């Protein structure tokens, strides 16, 4: 179990204990809501796991860095930003991978774009986001984030 | 974009049909994935092991998150959310949203149901967007990784740019959403 998992479970248990001491009836109501949310959220999560698993199997980090390392310039930044938007990678892998991109000759600009789109834009998690917030808000957030990522990349590329 | 209603968080509207369609789609995706792996058997092992890792992660995180969502939904009063993250919360609301997002609390998909619950309780659109974005890219443990692998100059620069731009973006999105709602409320305008 990861430390985040421990933390979240601890939080849930403390909350539950506290709530039970306050009002048992409301706790039952809350847990019914939890179950309903869970049933609704499960399908997009299953879809997401399938997509991530296939992606990790077919696209390996060293393949990508070989592909990106060759090209530079803004075109390369756009390509790698798009890649970051589609990919889904835990931070533990993402940062060492970003460092290896730099070592392989990618520009700072490209790496900044990659990290920002990777974390902020989730094509894989988009169905989940749309379910919770509606299409309009989810698409707006992801589109704006893409713009921000490129802006950040250009500034970082210029400064560093 | 005529059905682009921002608020139906929790998905209470017409639940049975929507949920059934969701399960059908998820089943189809899983089937397509399985067929693909049958064509490329060499990829099956890494794919299945990744899937297993994620399923395990979900099993350890998701029940707790659902409990928290339920508790917040029932116990946290509207007034509290409105006070700290609502219209009048101002810069303090923005700061609170950033801090709440940056705490080490798991991956982004955990944040979606929670943020939707806050939105339903009366939090500002911009604050919810800020929290989501902070949750996505200013996580504390993640920043430590960035510091270690990309250096402090890169990290600090990216962090400060991100905070400024995310706040601006979230206020912009709120404007757009509200503008859309006003227009819907007054047809012909």
């Amino acid at each position: 179990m990861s430390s985040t998992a421990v933390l979240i479970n601890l939080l849930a248990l403390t909350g539950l204990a506290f709530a039970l001491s306050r009002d048992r009836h409301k706790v039952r109501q809350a847990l019914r809501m939890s179950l309903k949310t869970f049933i609704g959220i499960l399908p997009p999560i299953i879809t997401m796991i399938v997509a991530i698993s296939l992606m990790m199997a077919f696209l390996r980090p060293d393949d990508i860095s070989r592909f990106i390392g060759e090209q530079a310039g803004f075109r390369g930044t756009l390509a790698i930003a798009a890649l970051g938007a589609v990919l889904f990678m835990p931070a533990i892998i993402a940062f060492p991978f970003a460092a290896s991109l730099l070592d392989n000759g990618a520009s700072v600009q490209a790496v900044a774009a990659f990290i920002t789109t990777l974390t902020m834009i989730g094509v894989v998690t988009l169905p989940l986001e749309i379910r919770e917030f509606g299409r309009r808000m989810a698409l707006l957030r992801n589109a704006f984030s893409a713009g921000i990522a490129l802006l950040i990349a250009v500034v970082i590329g210029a400064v560093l | 974009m005529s059905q682009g209603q921002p608020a139906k968080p929790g998905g209470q509207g017409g639940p049975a049909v929507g949920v059934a369609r969701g399960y059908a789609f998820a089943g189809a995706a899983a089937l397509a994935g399985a067929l693909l792996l049958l064509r490329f058997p060499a990829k099956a092992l890494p794919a299945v092991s990744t899937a297993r890792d994620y399923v395990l992660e979900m099993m350890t995180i998701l029940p707790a998150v659902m409990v928290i969502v339920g508790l917040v939904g029932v116990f946290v009063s509207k007034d509290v959310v409105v006070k700290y993250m609502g219209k009048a919360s101002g810069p303090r609301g923005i700061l609170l949203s950033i801090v709440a997002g940056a705490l080490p609390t798991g991956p982004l998909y955990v944040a979606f149901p929670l943020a939707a619950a806050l939105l339903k309780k009366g939090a500002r659109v911009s604050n919810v967007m800020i929290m989501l974005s902070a949750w996505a890219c200013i996580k504390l443990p993640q920043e430590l990784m960035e510091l270690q692998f990309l250096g402090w100059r890169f990290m600090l620069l990216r962090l400060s740019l991100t905070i400024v731009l995310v706040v601006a973006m979230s206020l912009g999105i709120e404007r757009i959403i509200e503008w859309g709602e006003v227009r819907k409320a007054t047809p012909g305008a």
Side-chain angles (χ1 to χ4, degrees):
Chain A
M1 226 185 196
S2 68
S3 54
T4 20
V6 173
L7 192 76
I8 292 177
N9 280 283
L10 227 54
L11 204 68
L13 283 178
T14 347
L16 203 57
F18 182 68
L20 271 173
S21 74
R22 299 281 296 268
D23 188 337
R24 276 167 183 275
H25 179 72
K26 271 171 114 179
V27 169
R28 191 170 306 153
Q29 204 181 327
L31 290 181
R32 204 173 302 135
M33 188 169 160
S34 307
L35 187 67
K36 219 162 115 188
T37 314
F38 181 70
I39 291 172
I41 211 173
L42 204 53
I45 285 187
I46 294 172
T47 314
M48 185 182 88
I49 293 181
V50 170
I52 294 171
S53 308
L54 291 176
M55 213 148 68
M56 298 290 257
F58 283 89
L59 278 176
R60 289 203 326 278
D62 35 326
D63 294 338
I64 301 166
S65 77
R66 208 177 314 132
F67 166 73
I68 294 290
E70 318 273 304
Q71 64 203 89
F74 198 66
R75 273 258 290 307
T77 302
L78 278 180
I80 200 170
L83 196 70
V86 177
L87 280 184
F88 185 98
M89 226 185 249
I92 311 165
I93 308 179
F95 287 107
F97 173 54
S100 83
L101 284 180
L102 275 179
D103 290 341
N104 279 301
S107 62
V108 180
Q109 178 185 296
V111 171
F114 175 73
I115 289 177
T116 310
T117 55
L118 184 70
T119 48
M120 280 182 81
I121 306 179
V123 171
V124 187
T125 52
L126 196 58
L128 201 62
E129 194 172 347
I130 289 178
R131 209 192 84 85
E132 297 290 345
F133 294 101
R135 189 168 301 158
R136 190 186 166 87
M137 212 184 275
L139 290 180
L140 272 175
R141 193 190 72 83
N142 282 282
F144 270 84
S145 299
I148 283 189
L150 290 178
L151 204 59
I152 290 175
V154 169
V155 175
I156 289 187
V159 174
L160 292 185
Chain B
M1 288 277 274
S2 57
Q3 300 98 342
Q5 298 155 347
K8 210 193 275 175
Q12 259 89 0
V17 180
V19 168
R21 199 184 299 151
Y23 277 89
F25 185 73
L31 192 68
L35 287 176
L36 192 68
L37 291 181
L38 279 178
R39 293 270 333 242
F40 302 93
K43 304 288 185 189
L45 201 65
V48 168
S49 95
T50 310
R52 197 193 47 215
D53 289 350
Y54 272 96
V55 169
L56 282 178
E57 188 191 78
M58 295 290 171
M59 276 164 50
T60 54
I61 289 182
L62 215 52
V65 174
M66 291 302 122
V67 167
I68 294 172
V69 169
L71 288 176
V72 168
V74 173
F75 278 90
V76 177
S77 79
K78 245 187 168 100
D79 300 344
V80 171
V81 176
V82 169
K83 183 176 166 203
Y84 289 103
M85 289 178 84
K87 273 274 164 231
S89 59
R92 232 181 36 172
I94 293 179
L95 194 67
L96 183 73
S97 307
I98 293 176
V99 172
L103 291 176
T105 32
L108 186 61
Y109 52 75
V110 165
F112 291 141
L114 208 59
L118 288 175
L119 194 63
K120 206 160 65 173
K121 290 259 171 195
R124 271 181 85 152
V125 172
S126 61
N127 283 341
V128 170
M129 286 288 143
I130 290 170
M131 193 185 93
L132 273 183
S133 306
W135 199 301
C137 61
I138 338 187
K139 284 251 150 287
L140 284 175
Q142 183 180 312
E143 288 315 308
L144 292 179
M145 294 292 289
E146 184 168 2
L147 178 68
Q148 187 186 339
F149 282 96
L150 298 173
W152 63 271
R153 274 164 41 121
F154 186 96
M155 187 205 98
L156 279 185
L157 191 58
R158 205 185 66 87
L159 194 63
S160 45
L161 281 172
T162 305
I163 291 177
V164 171
L165 291 174
V166 155
V167 171
M169 164 187 92
S170 303
L171 291 170
I173 290 181
E174 182 179 82
R175 273 280 174 85
I176 295 175
I177 296 278
E178 282 174 352
W179 177 71
E181 274 164 9
V182 168
R183 218 176 42 153
K184 218 181 294 166
T186 53

